[in-house]
Amino acid sequence: MNSLGERLKKARERKLLSQIEVFRMTNINNKTLSRYEKDGTEPDIETLKALSNLYEVSTDFLLGKGSEQIEVEAIPYTVKEWLRADTTGLTIDEQKLLQEDLSDYFEMRRKQIFKRRK
């Protein structure tokens, strides 16, 4: 069975978030988050709730309890690289348009995937 730290890391990666991005969204220090993910320390209940909300998983899942044991696979590194593609040569407006298009697409696909789970 995966540890709490491993489930936290997989859930974060599933959302394509870096530790710095989680810090910006939750004010949980990225070094603290790193310790959670390495099982160096455990989050308190309020922090666990904040992370479960952000990652869209239950606290039971993060704690390894219940029937919600959905498989949370990490996104392959090559896909992460593609998502951070080089936009050299694009104007600022083109970069913004590309970002908006990708954001809309991922949100649409995320909703479709969660709808299938029900």
Side-chain angles (χ1 to χ4, degrees):
M1 174 184 260
N2 293 336
S3 68
L4 170 60
E6 290 170 320
R7 286 187 298 277
L8 283 168
K9 183 176 181 177
K10 286 180 182 179
R12 176 180 57 78
E13 288 176 341
R14 181 180 143 263
K15 297 296 287 181
L16 303 176
L17 295 170
S18 69
Q19 291 178 346
I20 298 293
E21 290 168 322
V22 172
F23 166 67
R24 290 180 184 143
M25 299 168 86
T26 64
N27 211 27
I28 298 168
N29 186 290
N30 59 300
K31 290 180 182 182
T32 302
L33 185 59
S34 177
R35 285 193 299 273
Y36 295 157
E37 291 181 358
K38 293 178 181 176
D39 293 309
T41 187
E42 292 186 355
D44 61 36
I45 191 67
E46 293 306 314
T47 302
L48 193 66
K49 286 179 186 178
L51 291 171
S52 75
N53 286 334
L54 178 63
Y55 299 156
E56 296 180 321
V57 297
S58 71
T59 54
D60 280 350
F61 168 77
L62 292 175
L63 295 170
K65 299 178 180 180
S67 60
E68 189 196 343
Q69 294 294 325
I70 59 171
E71 185 61 33
V72 180
E73 289 294 326
I75 302 297
Y77 188 70
T78 55
V79 173
K80 286 183 182 179
E81 285 180 333
W82 179 79
L83 291 173
R84 294 183 174 119
D86 183 8
T87 57
T88 303
L90 296 179
T91 66
I92 297 295
D93 288 339
E94 291 168 335
Q95 290 177 34
K96 288 179 182 178
L97 181 60
L98 179 60
Q99 181 179 2
E100 289 171 11
D101 289 346
L102 288 173
S103 179
D104 291 345
Y105 173 77
F106 282 114
E107 180 62 21
M108 175 196 66
R109 290 295 295 148
R110 187 186 68 78
K111 286 178 182 178
Q112 290 172 344
I113 289 167
F114 282 115
K115 186 176 181 180
R116 280 189 214 149
R117 288 186 189 167
K118 293 180 181 182

